[in-house]
Amino acid sequence: MHIVIVSGFMTDSELWDDILPSLQALGSVTHADVSRAATIPEMAQHVLTDAPQHFAIIGFSMGGYVAREVVRLAPERVQALVLVATSARADTPEQARRKMASVKAVNPLRFHGLSRTAVIGSLHPDRAGDEALIERVRAMSERVGAEVFMRHAAQVRESDLDHLAAIHCPTLIVAADGDALRSLDEARELKEGIEGATLTMVEKSGHMIPIEQPEKLVAATVPWLRLLTKSSA
């Protein structure tokens, strides 16, 4: 099995470091570079250009929007879809306002990644004092950089709830019990919208499931993907 992994807003390939060996045990793994694009459809086109002919795709947060667009653009190429800590909802007017304000406030010459407040808000409340984890998330966002921040934060995040029924590949949805950015209701909307989808909840995690609870994410995804591999053999 070829696996394509798609990171979220202001995260890079390090997001997957803790689960990468387990994914590689299933087959080759490609990290999709979505930093070059400005919109979800553009990101999806980049993924398809760089991806193998047939693959499973795992999308985290913003990467979940990208992964679903990939499935809609090339359903014949996608063998399985895993959606981690994501949603199909559009930005609310308040979210859109905050994003545009943050874009206007950025000084590219003095950009040092996401603020401490923003990083802590993406983690489980129990991790609010985990300085190593906070720094890991901040450092990822600094590496991604100011230009990508402005490009991705400026995009209008549209809902694709009405298009979920067009997804027919095996789908696994992974949500977290302490995710302050994406609610369990949003995960349930994905499950209800995608026929046959499975929903799994990870306990003791905030939004950053791949680095907060990598072992639980592996336990949720790898056996599911392995079963698909065996059934298609």
Side-chain angles (χ1 to χ4, degrees), residues 160-183:
D160 65 327
L161 282 167
D162 292 340
H163 304 292
L164 294 178
I167 298 174
H168 299 294
C169 65
T171 301
L172 174 67
I173 300 152
V174 183
D177 64 348
D179 189 343
L181 303 184
R182 293 300 179 192
S183 68

PDB file of all heavy atoms in Angstrom, residues 160-183:
ATOM      1  N   ASP A 160     -17.932  21.549   2.705  1.00  0.00           N
ATOM      2  CA  ASP A 160     -18.186  20.516   1.701  1.00  0.00           C
ATOM      3  C   ASP A 160     -19.147  19.456   2.246  1.00  0.00           C
ATOM      4  O   ASP A 160     -19.175  18.321   1.778  1.00  0.00           O
ATOM      5  CB  ASP A 160     -16.883  19.891   1.197  1.00  0.00           C
ATOM      6  CG  ASP A 160     -16.123  19.121   2.268  1.00  0.00           C
ATOM      7  OD1 ASP A 160     -16.178  19.514   3.436  1.00  0.00           O
ATOM      8  OD2 ASP A 160     -15.465  18.117   1.929  1.00  0.00           O
ATOM      9  N   LEU A 161     -19.946  19.839   3.230  1.00  0.00           N
ATOM     10  CA  LEU A 161     -20.918  18.914   3.815  1.00  0.00           C
ATOM     11  C   LEU A 161     -21.851  18.327   2.754  1.00  0.00           C
ATOM     12  O   LEU A 161     -22.198  17.145   2.800  1.00  0.00           O
ATOM     13  CB  LEU A 161     -21.738  19.626   4.899  1.00  0.00           C
ATOM     14  CG  LEU A 161     -21.072  19.822   6.254  1.00  0.00           C
ATOM     15  CD1 LEU A 161     -21.860  20.800   7.108  1.00  0.00           C
ATOM     16  CD2 LEU A 161     -20.925  18.487   6.974  1.00  0.00           C
ATOM     17  N   ASP A 162     -22.245  19.154   1.787  1.00  0.00           N
ATOM     18  CA  ASP A 162     -23.184  18.697   0.767  1.00  0.00           C
ATOM     19  C   ASP A 162     -22.532  17.774  -0.257  1.00  0.00           C
ATOM     20  O   ASP A 162     -23.238  17.196  -1.095  1.00  0.00           O
ATOM     21  CB  ASP A 162     -23.798  19.899   0.039  1.00  0.00           C
ATOM     22  CG  ASP A 162     -24.723  20.720   0.936  1.00  0.00           C
ATOM     23  OD1 ASP A 162     -25.171  20.175   1.957  1.00  0.00           O
ATOM     24  OD2 ASP A 162     -24.969  21.893   0.614  1.00  0.00           O
ATOM     25  N   HIS A 163     -21.212  17.635  -0.193  1.00  0.00           N
ATOM     26  CA  HIS A 163     -20.501  16.814  -1.175  1.00  0.00           C
ATOM     27  C   HIS A 163     -19.945  15.527  -0.562  1.00  0.00           C
ATOM     28  O   HIS A 163     -19.293  14.747  -1.265  1.00  0.00           O
ATOM     29  CB  HIS A 163     -19.361  17.617  -1.801  1.00  0.00           C
ATOM     30  CG  HIS A 163     -19.805  18.909  -2.430  1.00  0.00           C
ATOM     31  ND1 HIS A 163     -20.598  18.949  -3.557  1.00  0.00           N
ATOM     32  CD2 HIS A 163     -19.583  20.196  -2.076  1.00  0.00           C
ATOM     33  CE1 HIS A 163     -20.839  20.203  -3.876  1.00  0.00           C
ATOM     34  NE2 HIS A 163     -20.238  20.988  -2.996  1.00  0.00           N
ATOM     35  N   LEU A 164     -20.192  15.306   0.718  1.00  0.00           N
ATOM     36  CA  LEU A 164     -19.638  14.121   1.374  1.00  0.00           C
ATOM     37  C   LEU A 164     -20.179  12.824   0.778  1.00  0.00           C
ATOM     38  O   LEU A 164     -19.475  11.815   0.729  1.00  0.00           O
ATOM     39  CB  LEU A 164     -19.931  14.166   2.873  1.00  0.00           C
ATOM     40  CG  LEU A 164     -19.256  15.286   3.671  1.00  0.00           C
ATOM     41  CD1 LEU A 164     -19.688  15.222   5.132  1.00  0.00           C
ATOM     42  CD2 LEU A 164     -17.740  15.208   3.559  1.00  0.00           C
ATOM     43  N   ALA A 165     -21.410  12.856   0.319  1.00  0.00           N
ATOM     44  CA  ALA A 165     -22.020  11.638  -0.217  1.00  0.00           C
ATOM     45  C   ALA A 165     -21.330  11.148  -1.484  1.00  0.00           C
ATOM     46  O   ALA A 165     -21.520   9.995  -1.890  1.00  0.00           O
ATOM     47  CB  ALA A 165     -23.506  11.882  -0.501  1.00  0.00           C
ATOM     48  N   ALA A 166     -20.519  11.997  -2.096  1.00  0.00           N
ATOM     49  CA  ALA A 166     -19.797  11.607  -3.307  1.00  0.00           C
ATOM     50  C   ALA A 166     -18.573  10.753  -2.988  1.00  0.00           C
ATOM     51  O   ALA A 166     -17.948  10.213  -3.905  1.00  0.00           O
ATOM     52  CB  ALA A 166     -19.371  12.841  -4.091  1.00  0.00           C
ATOM     53  N   ILE A 167     -18.228  10.630  -1.717  1.00  0.00           N
ATOM     54  CA  ILE A 167     -17.072   9.828  -1.308  1.00  0.00           C
ATOM     55  C   ILE A 167     -17.534   8.391  -1.070  1.00  0.00           C
ATOM     56  O   ILE A 167     -18.408   8.140  -0.239  1.00  0.00           O
ATOM     57  CB  ILE A 167     -16.431  10.416  -0.039  1.00  0.00           C
ATOM     58  CG1 ILE A 167     -15.909  11.826  -0.317  1.00  0.00           C
ATOM     59  CG2 ILE A 167     -15.303   9.512   0.464  1.00  0.00           C
ATOM     60  CD1 ILE A 167     -15.384  12.549   0.905  1.00  0.00           C
ATOM     61  N   HIS A 168     -16.938   7.452  -1.781  1.00  0.00           N
ATOM     62  CA  HIS A 168     -17.370   6.057  -1.690  1.00  0.00           C
ATOM     63  C   HIS A 168     -16.247   5.106  -1.266  1.00  0.00           C
ATOM     64  O   HIS A 168     -16.504   3.910  -1.113  1.00  0.00           O
ATOM     65  CB  HIS A 168     -17.948   5.597  -3.032  1.00  0.00           C
ATOM     66  CG  HIS A 168     -19.146   6.384  -3.469  1.00  0.00           C
ATOM     67  ND1 HIS A 168     -20.345   6.356  -2.792  1.00  0.00           N
ATOM     68  CD2 HIS A 168     -19.308   7.255  -4.492  1.00  0.00           C
ATOM     69  CE1 HIS A 168     -21.208   7.151  -3.390  1.00  0.00           C
ATOM     70  NE2 HIS A 168     -20.608   7.710  -4.430  1.00  0.00           N
ATOM     71  N   CYS A 169     -15.037   5.600  -1.097  1.00  0.00           N
ATOM     72  CA  CYS A 169     -13.944   4.714  -0.680  1.00  0.00           C
ATOM     73  C   CYS A 169     -14.044   4.443   0.823  1.00  0.00           C
ATOM     74  O   CYS A 169     -14.684   5.208   1.565  1.00  0.00           O
ATOM     75  CB  CYS A 169     -12.590   5.329  -1.019  1.00  0.00           C
ATOM     76  SG  CYS A 169     -12.227   6.853  -0.132  1.00  0.00           S
ATOM     77  N   PRO A 170     -13.436   3.362   1.312  1.00  0.00           N
ATOM     78  CA  PRO A 170     -13.416   3.119   2.753  1.00  0.00           C
ATOM     79  C   PRO A 170     -12.857   4.325   3.492  1.00  0.00           C
ATOM     80  O   PRO A 170     -11.823   4.873   3.103  1.00  0.00           O
ATOM     81  CB  PRO A 170     -12.492   1.902   2.886  1.00  0.00           C
ATOM     82  CG  PRO A 170     -12.583   1.217   1.565  1.00  0.00           C
ATOM     83  CD  PRO A 170     -12.735   2.313   0.554  1.00  0.00           C
ATOM     84  N   THR A 171     -13.555   4.749   4.547  1.00  0.00           N
ATOM     85  CA  THR A 171     -13.184   5.983   5.241  1.00  0.00           C
ATOM     86  C   THR A 171     -13.168   5.785   6.749  1.00  0.00           C
ATOM     87  O   THR A 171     -14.113   5.245   7.324  1.00  0.00           O
ATOM     88  CB  THR A 171     -14.163   7.119   4.892  1.00  0.00           C
ATOM     89  OG1 THR A 171     -14.151   7.345   3.471  1.00  0.00           O
ATOM     90  CG2 THR A 171     -13.780   8.414   5.607  1.00  0.00           C
ATOM     91  N   LEU A 172     -12.088   6.240   7.366  1.00  0.00           N
ATOM     92  CA  LEU A 172     -11.949   6.233   8.818  1.00  0.00           C
ATOM     93  C   LEU A 172     -11.820   7.668   9.299  1.00  0.00           C
ATOM     94  O   LEU A 172     -11.015   8.439   8.766  1.00  0.00           O
ATOM     95  CB  LEU A 172     -10.706   5.440   9.226  1.00  0.00           C
ATOM     96  CG  LEU A 172     -10.336   5.468  10.717  1.00  0.00           C
ATOM     97  CD1 LEU A 172     -11.393   4.755  11.558  1.00  0.00           C
ATOM     98  CD2 LEU A 172      -8.961   4.833  10.946  1.00  0.00           C
ATOM     99  N   ILE A 173     -12.605   8.022  10.306  1.00  0.00           N
ATOM    100  CA  ILE A 173     -12.558   9.366  10.901  1.00  0.00           C
ATOM    101  C   ILE A 173     -12.036   9.231  12.315  1.00  0.00           C
ATOM    102  O   ILE A 173     -12.546   8.427  13.099  1.00  0.00           O
ATOM    103  CB  ILE A 173     -13.964   9.999  10.904  1.00  0.00           C
ATOM    104  CG1 ILE A 173     -14.500  10.121   9.470  1.00  0.00           C
ATOM    105  CG2 ILE A 173     -13.941  11.358  11.588  1.00  0.00           C
ATOM    106  CD1 ILE A 173     -15.993  10.080   9.382  1.00  0.00           C
ATOM    107  N   VAL A 174     -11.008  10.016  12.646  1.00  0.00           N
ATOM    108  CA  VAL A 174     -10.403   9.970  13.971  1.00  0.00           C
ATOM    109  C   VAL A 174     -10.564  11.345  14.617  1.00  0.00           C
ATOM    110  O   VAL A 174     -10.107  12.353  14.071  1.00  0.00           O
ATOM    111  CB  VAL A 174      -8.909   9.595  13.912  1.00  0.00           C
ATOM    112  CG1 VAL A 174      -8.334   9.495  15.326  1.00  0.00           C
ATOM    113  CG2 VAL A 174      -8.712   8.287  13.151  1.00  0.00           C
ATOM    114  N   ALA A 175     -11.218  11.374  15.767  1.00  0.00           N
ATOM    115  CA  ALA A 175     -11.441  12.618  16.504  1.00  0.00           C
ATOM    116  C   ALA A 175     -10.841  12.496  17.900  1.00  0.00           C
ATOM    117  O   ALA A 175     -10.515  11.395  18.361  1.00  0.00           O
ATOM    118  CB  ALA A 175     -12.936  12.911  16.593  1.00  0.00           C
ATOM    119  N   ALA A 176     -10.711  13.630  18.581  1.00  0.00           N
ATOM    120  CA  ALA A 176     -10.138  13.648  19.930  1.00  0.00           C
ATOM    121  C   ALA A 176     -11.139  14.193  20.925  1.00  0.00           C
ATOM    122  O   ALA A 176     -11.907  15.119  20.613  1.00  0.00           O
ATOM    123  CB  ALA A 176      -8.865  14.494  19.959  1.00  0.00           C
ATOM    124  N   ASP A 177     -11.115  13.644  22.132  1.00  0.00           N
ATOM    125  CA  ASP A 177     -12.095  14.065  23.140  1.00  0.00           C
ATOM    126  C   ASP A 177     -11.833  15.466  23.681  1.00  0.00           C
ATOM    127  O   ASP A 177     -12.740  16.122  24.176  1.00  0.00           O
ATOM    128  CB  ASP A 177     -12.134  13.057  24.296  1.00  0.00           C
ATOM    129  CG  ASP A 177     -10.822  12.973  25.071  1.00  0.00           C
ATOM    130  OD1 ASP A 177      -9.805  13.506  24.602  1.00  0.00           O
ATOM    131  OD2 ASP A 177     -10.827  12.350  26.156  1.00  0.00           O
ATOM    132  N   GLY A 178     -10.585  15.953  23.559  1.00  0.00           N
ATOM    133  CA  GLY A 178     -10.252  17.271  24.098  1.00  0.00           C
ATOM    134  C   GLY A 178      -9.872  18.277  23.034  1.00  0.00           C
ATOM    135  O   GLY A 178      -9.117  19.219  23.300  1.00  0.00           O
ATOM    136  N   ASP A 179     -10.394  18.098  21.823  1.00  0.00           N
ATOM    137  CA  ASP A 179     -10.069  18.989  20.708  1.00  0.00           C
ATOM    138  C   ASP A 179     -10.924  20.244  20.798  1.00  0.00           C
ATOM    139  O   ASP A 179     -12.131  20.210  20.561  1.00  0.00           O
ATOM    140  CB  ASP A 179     -10.306  18.265  19.382  1.00  0.00           C
ATOM    141  CG  ASP A 179      -9.788  19.032  18.171  1.00  0.00           C
ATOM    142  OD1 ASP A 179      -9.543  20.247  18.293  1.00  0.00           O
ATOM    143  OD2 ASP A 179      -9.634  18.407  17.109  1.00  0.00           O
ATOM    144  N   ALA A 180     -10.293  21.382  21.103  1.00  0.00           N
ATOM    145  CA  ALA A 180     -11.019  22.641  21.217  1.00  0.00           C
ATOM    146  C   ALA A 180     -11.228  23.306  19.860  1.00  0.00           C
ATOM    147  O   ALA A 180     -11.979  24.278  19.765  1.00  0.00           O
ATOM    148  CB  ALA A 180     -10.265  23.593  22.139  1.00  0.00           C
ATOM    149  N   LEU A 181     -10.573  22.788  18.816  1.00  0.00           N
ATOM    150  CA  LEU A 181     -10.679  23.396  17.493  1.00  0.00           C
ATOM    151  C   LEU A 181     -11.687  22.674  16.602  1.00  0.00           C
ATOM    152  O   LEU A 181     -12.294  23.294  15.726  1.00  0.00           O
ATOM    153  CB  LEU A 181      -9.310  23.405  16.802  1.00  0.00           C
ATOM    154  CG  LEU A 181      -8.181  24.118  17.557  1.00  0.00           C
ATOM    155  CD1 LEU A 181      -6.912  24.122  16.713  1.00  0.00           C
ATOM    156  CD2 LEU A 181      -8.585  25.543  17.919  1.00  0.00           C
ATOM    157  N   ARG A 182     -11.836  21.364  16.791  1.00  0.00           N
ATOM    158  CA  ARG A 182     -12.771  20.574  16.007  1.00  0.00           C
ATOM    159  C   ARG A 182     -13.573  19.681  16.936  1.00  0.00           C
ATOM    160  O   ARG A 182     -13.021  18.821  17.606  1.00  0.00           O
ATOM    161  CB  ARG A 182     -12.029  19.738  14.959  1.00  0.00           C
ATOM    162  CG  ARG A 182     -11.360  20.562  13.871  1.00  0.00           C
ATOM    163  CD  ARG A 182     -12.381  21.380  13.114  1.00  0.00           C
ATOM    164  NE  ARG A 182     -11.769  22.210  12.072  1.00  0.00           N
ATOM    165  CZ  ARG A 182     -12.412  23.184  11.440  1.00  0.00           C
ATOM    166  NH1 ARG A 182     -13.680  23.459  11.736  1.00  0.00           N
ATOM    167  NH2 ARG A 182     -11.815  23.887  10.510  1.00  0.00           N
ATOM    168  N   SER A 183     -14.877  19.881  16.969  1.00  0.00           N
ATOM    169  CA  SER A 183     -15.732  19.198  17.935  1.00  0.00           C
ATOM    170  C   SER A 183     -16.087  17.794  17.487  1.00  0.00           C
ATOM    171  O   SER A 183     -15.962  17.439  16.301  1.00  0.00           O
ATOM    172  CB  SER A 183     -17.020  19.997  18.141  1.00  0.00           C
ATOM    173  OG  SER A 183     -17.810  19.959  16.963  1.00  0.00           O
TER     174      SER A 183
END
